Amino acid sequence: MHIEAGVVAGAKMLLSYGTAAGVLGITAKLAVDNIKENGVLSLVLKSVIATIIVFCCFEVLPHYPIGVSEVHLILGTTIFLVFGIAPAAIGLALGLLIQGIFFAQFDLPQYGINVTTLLASILLLNFMAQKIIPQNIAYKDISYTQMLKLSVIWEGSIVSWVAFWALYGQGFSAENLSEVFSFCSAYMSVVIIEPLVDLAVLAGVKAFTSSNCNIFFDKKLHNCTIKSL
């Protein structure tokens, strides 16, 4: 989902600065709320783990530039369900930033675009999860159908944002439409694989039950009370 350099350029980049500021501002608000509910240490630990996972997805796992962007396995749905919305959003933003600073400096000018794609998608996932999962149901107890719906929402949002940035930056020329189509077609492999990984993680989580959570996981994973280690 890393938009290629030059796809959006010049004055059009201003939109990405505004959207990035918006999603990062919402993430900051979620982080403050999380600290009030669970404490600083819990947020920091979950965010660090989420950042490591995101960085590995971006830099260690196979990733291929196709069309207007790159195809990545990001595991956003799993990170969201296991760690919660605030740590997941922080992990996505920091993982992307760390990769850009140390390994892909050419992606830094597009950081506003890419972070918008990720955070807007995880915020949509959080909103839809509240609609799909009843309030009194722990994440470990959701059905595989519900998990599949969440995975498709996450992947669909990523693809939609990439397509938006490409069309916004380069218009509706035949060449650009072909590049967008190439990316969307290639990303279908991720749409197929990532939900399977999400379902496998859910199956693993279902194997464990607990009346108390620890500070490494979102308390809604088991609908339990945070217990300090």
Side-chain angles (χ1 to χ4, degrees):
M1 42 57 57
H2 288 72
I3 205 78
E4 290 296 308
V7 171
V8 181
K12 289 186 175 182
M13 290 292 288
L14 292 175
L15 177 62
S16 70
Y17 304 150
T19 56
V23 294
L24 289 171
I26 295 173
T27 298
K29 174 62 168 58
L30 292 171
V32 171
D33 293 342
N34 192 280
I35 290 172
K36 291 178 180 177
E37 184 176 1
N38 303 315
V40 174
L41 181 59
S42 176
L43 176 65
V44 170
L45 289 175
K46 288 183 288 189
S47 298
V48 167
I49 298 171
T51 299
I52 292 172
I53 294 173
V54 170
F55 173 79
C56 289
C57 287
F58 284 154
E59 191 62 31
V60 178
L61 294 182
H63 50 282
Y64 306 99
I66 298 178
V68 296
S69 187
E70 291 182 350
V71 175
H72 287 275
L73 189 70
I74 308 175
L75 303 179
T77 308
T78 290
I79 295 170
F80 163 71
L81 293 177
V82 173
F83 301 113
I85 179 59
I90 292 171
L92 288 168
L94 289 182
L96 179 66
L97 183 62
I98 291 171
Q99 187 210 26
I101 292 175
F102 295 103
F103 297 94
Q105 290 84 0
F106 54 86
D107 273 334
L108 284 177
Q110 288 78 242
Y111 181 78
I113 294 173
N114 295 325
V115 81
T116 296
T117 297
L118 291 172
L119 296 191
S121 296
I122 205 73
L123 292 172
L124 174 64
L125 181 64
N126 179 54
F127 175 78
M128 293 305 298
Q130 296 173 30
K131 305 294 183 182
I132 295 171
I133 305 173
Q135 185 65 30
N136 62 334
I137 299 297
Y139 287 157
K140 75 175 185 65
D141 294 325
I142 66 175
S143 69
Y144 292 107
T145 299
Q146 289 171 320
M147 173 60 114
L148 187 59
K149 288 180 180 178
L150 295 175
S151 297
V152 171
I153 288 168
W154 163 255
E155 300 294 347
S157 182
I158 293 290
V159 172
S160 298
W161 271 102
V162 170
F164 164 76
W165 288 117
L167 295 174
Y168 167 72
Q170 297 295 314
F172 292 84
S173 67
E175 181 180 359
N176 191 47
L177 289 173
S178 176
E179 293 287 299
V180 172
F181 180 77
S182 296
F183 168 78
C184 293
S185 299
Y187 212 85
M188 284 303 298
S189 62
V190 176
V191 173
I192 294 171
I193 295 172
E194 188 160 326
L196 296 177
V197 177
D198 293 333
L199 291 170
V201 172
L202 177 61
V205 170
K206 284 179 177 291
F208 298 92
T209 57
S210 175
S211 59
N212 291 295
C213 297
N214 62 51
I215 58 178
F216 290 103
F217 306 106
D218 185 57
K219 68 178 184 180
K220 199 169 182 348
L221 186 63
H222 292 88
N223 260 357
C224 51
T225 305
I226 295 293
K227 180 179 180 181
S228 298
L229 295 178

